[in-house]
Amino acid sequence: MQDLQAIVERALADLAAAPDAAALENAKARYLGRSGELTALLKRLGTLPAAERRAAGEALNAAKARLEEALARRRAELAESKMQAQLAAEALDVTLPGRGASRGGIHPVIRTWQRVEAIFRSIGFDVADGPEVETDWYNFTALNNPENHPARSMQDTFYVDLKDAQGLALLLRTHTSPMQVRYARLWVERHRGAKRMPPIKVIAPGRTYRVDSDATHSPMFHQVEGLWIDEDVSFADLKAVYTDFVRRFFETDAIEVRFRPSYFPFTEPSAEIDLQFAAGPLKGRWLEVSGAGQVHPQVVRNFGLDPERWIGFAFGSGLERLTMLRYGIDDLRLFFDGDLRFLRQFA
Ligand code: DAH
């Protein structure tokens, strides 16, 4: 049992000195493992004379209990210091300033787009969307621009070096007017066979493209097309609807609206719509915001409808123009420069 005393002392020292979990488990194996030193003594118990066996057994068990207790204590210490080391390594400096999440804002032109939609929806207009890469047929031919007619060159066009599935020339739409034809033809198709086709009443806001660039023109810009076709929609309805629209859009009744005779191949008669504010910085100037007119009989025919029965108006207004007038912006290029000092004013 001299042996035992020495083994226990060495074991306690080894366990206490183990620098990490692996070393600790190795030390445990050396004393308490299957071929550990203490285990060897326990195995030898049976070989002792019966008179010594009891005292030896008690001493061995007490030694084993001390080692196990020392082992558990060292395990806990190592686990604690490992956690402390990890906490120290992963420490956060809570005094650092945050990275911050900057808030996005709605672009002023898109604000206008949303306002226009809300106003027209409130008087029963549907809102439609269509392709920006358009066929020559929808963009020009269906809108009564005859092939090779000089009216086509009123709009300098971006042609696309591809044809559609039917071999038709493709281009970036120069206006939202092709949506008149797309929407009306779908509408006619959908109500084919009905006793009475419901009126066509739609706006189509979206991006349009022209080879044009200066303070009031951008190669990409936005328009909103309007179309109302029924059996008895007149030019007077156009005046009422549009005048009501601008008063709601600019939130004032102090606006005069003027319909100035003009020419578009897809309307007859045609007009430019001008506004004049009775107050504010733009007071007293006539400002053009839209083309409009009574839809040409040939275009009504291209809708798939009989122009003797169906009649109505269309308009196409510039969303940048409406936005510039609403906020008093004098250079259209500001919308597309991406300068946050400008854009934040509307966010
Ligand atoms: N599409 C024409 C343009 O971009 C604007 C226009 C004029 C649209 C008369 C219309 C209309 O619907 O009736 O210049």
Side-chain angles (χ1 to χ4, degrees), residues 155 175 177 180 210 223 225 264 266-267 291-293 314-316:
Q155 300 178 354
H175 51 179
S177 301
Q180 290 185 33
R210 287 186 208 171
Q223 287 190 335
E225 196 74 14
F264 296 101
F266 34 94
T267 41
F315 62 82

mmCIF file of all heavy atoms in Angstrom, residues 155 175 177 180 210 223 225 264 266-267 291-293 314-316, ligand 1:
data_model
loop_
_atom_site.group_PDB
_atom_site.id
_atom_site.type_symbol
_atom_site.label_atom_id
_atom_site.label_comp_id
_atom_site.label_asym_id
_atom_site.label_seq_id
_atom_site.Cartn_x
_atom_site.Cartn_y
_atom_site.Cartn_z
ATOM 1 N N GLN A 155 -40.673 60.435 -85.038
ATOM 2 C CA GLN A 155 -40.087 59.830 -83.845
ATOM 3 C C GLN A 155 -38.841 59.054 -84.247
ATOM 4 O O GLN A 155 -38.936 58.059 -84.952
ATOM 5 C CB GLN A 155 -41.105 58.894 -83.179
ATOM 6 C CG GLN A 155 -42.370 59.628 -82.765
ATOM 7 C CD GLN A 155 -43.408 58.714 -82.161
ATOM 8 O OE1 GLN A 155 -43.244 57.495 -82.138
ATOM 9 N NE2 GLN A 155 -44.478 59.297 -81.666
ATOM 10 N N HIS A 175 -43.498 55.167 -78.018
ATOM 11 C CA HIS A 175 -44.585 55.743 -77.217
ATOM 12 C C HIS A 175 -45.391 54.598 -76.612
ATOM 13 O O HIS A 175 -45.158 53.420 -76.945
ATOM 14 C CB HIS A 175 -45.474 56.680 -78.055
ATOM 15 C CG HIS A 175 -45.969 56.094 -79.351
ATOM 16 N ND1 HIS A 175 -46.786 56.777 -80.217
ATOM 17 C CD2 HIS A 175 -45.781 54.882 -79.931
ATOM 18 C CE1 HIS A 175 -47.067 56.026 -81.269
ATOM 19 N NE2 HIS A 175 -46.476 54.878 -81.117
ATOM 20 N N SER A 177 -48.547 54.314 -77.055
ATOM 21 C CA SER A 177 -49.752 54.133 -77.871
ATOM 22 C C SER A 177 -49.970 52.704 -78.390
ATOM 23 O O SER A 177 -51.128 52.287 -78.524
ATOM 24 C CB SER A 177 -49.755 55.140 -79.028
ATOM 25 O OG SER A 177 -49.718 56.451 -78.513
ATOM 26 N N GLN A 180 -52.655 50.767 -76.742
ATOM 27 C CA GLN A 180 -54.065 50.919 -77.125
ATOM 28 C C GLN A 180 -54.505 49.700 -77.928
ATOM 29 O O GLN A 180 -55.539 49.099 -77.671
ATOM 30 C CB GLN A 180 -54.264 52.148 -78.025
ATOM 31 C CG GLN A 180 -54.105 53.482 -77.374
ATOM 32 C CD GLN A 180 -54.450 54.594 -78.385
ATOM 33 O OE1 GLN A 180 -55.307 54.437 -79.246
ATOM 34 N NE2 GLN A 180 -53.770 55.710 -78.269
ATOM 35 N N ARG A 210 -36.612 57.060 -77.372
ATOM 36 C CA ARG A 210 -36.382 57.771 -78.634
ATOM 37 C C ARG A 210 -34.944 58.245 -78.706
ATOM 38 O O ARG A 210 -34.310 58.479 -77.674
ATOM 39 C CB ARG A 210 -37.293 58.988 -78.756
ATOM 40 C CG ARG A 210 -38.722 58.589 -79.032
ATOM 41 C CD ARG A 210 -39.601 59.789 -79.297
ATOM 42 N NE ARG A 210 -40.956 59.451 -78.902
ATOM 43 C CZ ARG A 210 -41.956 60.314 -78.840
ATOM 44 N NH1 ARG A 210 -41.754 61.573 -79.154
ATOM 45 N NH2 ARG A 210 -43.152 59.915 -78.475
ATOM 46 N N GLN A 223 -44.217 57.419 -70.315
ATOM 47 C CA GLN A 223 -45.505 57.983 -70.736
ATOM 48 C C GLN A 223 -46.619 57.216 -70.042
ATOM 49 O O GLN A 223 -46.426 56.110 -69.534
ATOM 50 C CB GLN A 223 -45.707 57.798 -72.249
ATOM 51 C CG GLN A 223 -44.861 58.702 -73.112
ATOM 52 C CD GLN A 223 -45.282 58.641 -74.580
ATOM 53 O OE1 GLN A 223 -45.855 57.648 -75.031
ATOM 54 N NE2 GLN A 223 -44.980 59.701 -75.315
ATOM 55 N N GLU A 225 -50.435 56.113 -71.332
ATOM 56 C CA GLU A 225 -51.438 56.130 -72.378
ATOM 57 C C GLU A 225 -52.798 55.985 -71.725
ATOM 58 O O GLU A 225 -52.931 55.274 -70.723
ATOM 59 C CB GLU A 225 -51.183 54.918 -73.299
ATOM 60 C CG GLU A 225 -51.884 54.975 -74.624
ATOM 61 C CD GLU A 225 -51.217 55.991 -75.559
ATOM 62 O OE1 GLU A 225 -50.094 56.437 -75.267
ATOM 63 O OE2 GLU A 225 -51.848 56.336 -76.576
ATOM 64 N N PHE A 264 -51.960 63.936 -85.084
ATOM 65 C CA PHE A 264 -51.399 62.605 -84.847
ATOM 66 C C PHE A 264 -52.104 61.670 -85.816
ATOM 67 O O PHE A 264 -53.310 61.829 -86.053
ATOM 68 C CB PHE A 264 -51.649 62.120 -83.407
ATOM 69 C CG PHE A 264 -50.971 62.973 -82.374
ATOM 70 C CD1 PHE A 264 -51.697 63.932 -81.665
ATOM 71 C CD2 PHE A 264 -49.615 62.838 -82.108
ATOM 72 C CE1 PHE A 264 -51.071 64.730 -80.720
ATOM 73 C CE2 PHE A 264 -48.993 63.640 -81.158
ATOM 74 C CZ PHE A 264 -49.718 64.590 -80.460
ATOM 75 N N PHE A 266 -53.076 58.741 -85.474
ATOM 76 C CA PHE A 266 -54.010 57.790 -84.859
ATOM 77 C C PHE A 266 -55.208 58.455 -84.201
ATOM 78 O O PHE A 266 -56.011 57.788 -83.544
ATOM 79 C CB PHE A 266 -53.291 56.875 -83.859
ATOM 80 C CG PHE A 266 -52.165 57.557 -83.117
ATOM 81 C CD1 PHE A 266 -52.388 58.146 -81.882
ATOM 82 C CD2 PHE A 266 -50.895 57.608 -83.666
ATOM 83 C CE1 PHE A 266 -51.355 58.777 -81.202
ATOM 84 C CE2 PHE A 266 -49.853 58.241 -82.991
ATOM 85 C CZ PHE A 266 -50.075 58.830 -81.766
ATOM 86 N N THR A 267 -55.307 59.779 -84.332
ATOM 87 C CA THR A 267 -56.491 60.474 -83.788
ATOM 88 C C THR A 267 -57.007 61.478 -84.815
ATOM 89 O O THR A 267 -56.249 62.025 -85.615
ATOM 90 C CB THR A 267 -56.134 61.233 -82.497
ATOM 91 O OG1 THR A 267 -54.867 61.856 -82.655
ATOM 92 C CG2 THR A 267 -56.101 60.306 -81.301
ATOM 93 N N GLY A 291 -50.502 64.628 -75.636
ATOM 94 C CA GLY A 291 -51.210 64.557 -76.910
ATOM 95 C C GLY A 291 -52.515 63.843 -76.643
ATOM 96 O O GLY A 291 -52.618 63.075 -75.679
ATOM 97 N N ALA A 292 -53.500 64.076 -77.489
ATOM 98 C CA ALA A 292 -54.788 63.428 -77.258
ATOM 99 C C ALA A 292 -55.629 63.530 -78.520
ATOM 100 O O ALA A 292 -55.241 64.193 -79.487
ATOM 101 C CB ALA A 292 -55.521 64.096 -76.098
ATOM 102 N N GLY A 293 -56.767 62.894 -78.483
ATOM 103 C CA GLY A 293 -57.675 63.049 -79.604
ATOM 104 C C GLY A 293 -58.739 61.975 -79.618
ATOM 105 O O GLY A 293 -58.789 61.098 -78.753
ATOM 106 N N ALA A 314 -58.303 58.961 -76.804
ATOM 107 C CA ALA A 314 -57.032 58.463 -76.276
ATOM 108 C C ALA A 314 -56.179 59.665 -75.906
ATOM 109 O O ALA A 314 -56.396 60.767 -76.405
ATOM 110 C CB ALA A 314 -56.311 57.618 -77.321
ATOM 111 N N PHE A 315 -55.246 59.433 -75.008
ATOM 112 C CA PHE A 315 -54.253 60.475 -74.720
ATOM 113 C C PHE A 315 -52.943 59.798 -74.374
ATOM 114 O O PHE A 315 -52.913 58.612 -74.000
ATOM 115 C CB PHE A 315 -54.702 61.401 -73.574
ATOM 116 C CG PHE A 315 -54.887 60.688 -72.255
ATOM 117 C CD1 PHE A 315 -53.808 60.419 -71.423
ATOM 118 C CD2 PHE A 315 -56.165 60.304 -71.839
ATOM 119 C CE1 PHE A 315 -53.993 59.763 -70.207
ATOM 120 C CE2 PHE A 315 -56.347 59.654 -70.621
ATOM 121 C CZ PHE A 315 -55.265 59.377 -69.807
ATOM 122 N N GLY A 316 -51.858 60.533 -74.539
ATOM 123 C CA GLY A 316 -50.546 60.022 -74.151
ATOM 124 C C GLY A 316 -49.781 61.160 -73.508
ATOM 125 O O GLY A 316 -49.519 62.163 -74.157
HETATM 126 N N1 DAH B 1 -48.126 58.834 -78.806
HETATM 127 C C1 DAH B 1 -48.016 60.266 -78.925
HETATM 128 C C2 DAH B 1 -46.578 60.685 -78.717
HETATM 129 O O1 DAH B 1 -45.843 59.975 -78.096
HETATM 130 C C3 DAH B 1 -48.873 60.948 -77.887
HETATM 131 C C4 DAH B 1 -50.330 60.765 -78.148
HETATM 132 C C5 DAH B 1 -51.001 61.658 -78.913
HETATM 133 C C6 DAH B 1 -50.994 59.699 -77.597
HETATM 134 C C7 DAH B 1 -52.364 61.509 -79.163
HETATM 135 C C8 DAH B 1 -52.366 59.539 -77.824
HETATM 136 C C9 DAH B 1 -53.031 60.456 -78.607
HETATM 137 O O2 DAH B 1 -53.057 58.520 -77.313
HETATM 138 O O3 DAH B 1 -54.348 60.304 -78.791
HETATM 139 O O4 DAH B 1 -46.181 61.723 -79.170
#
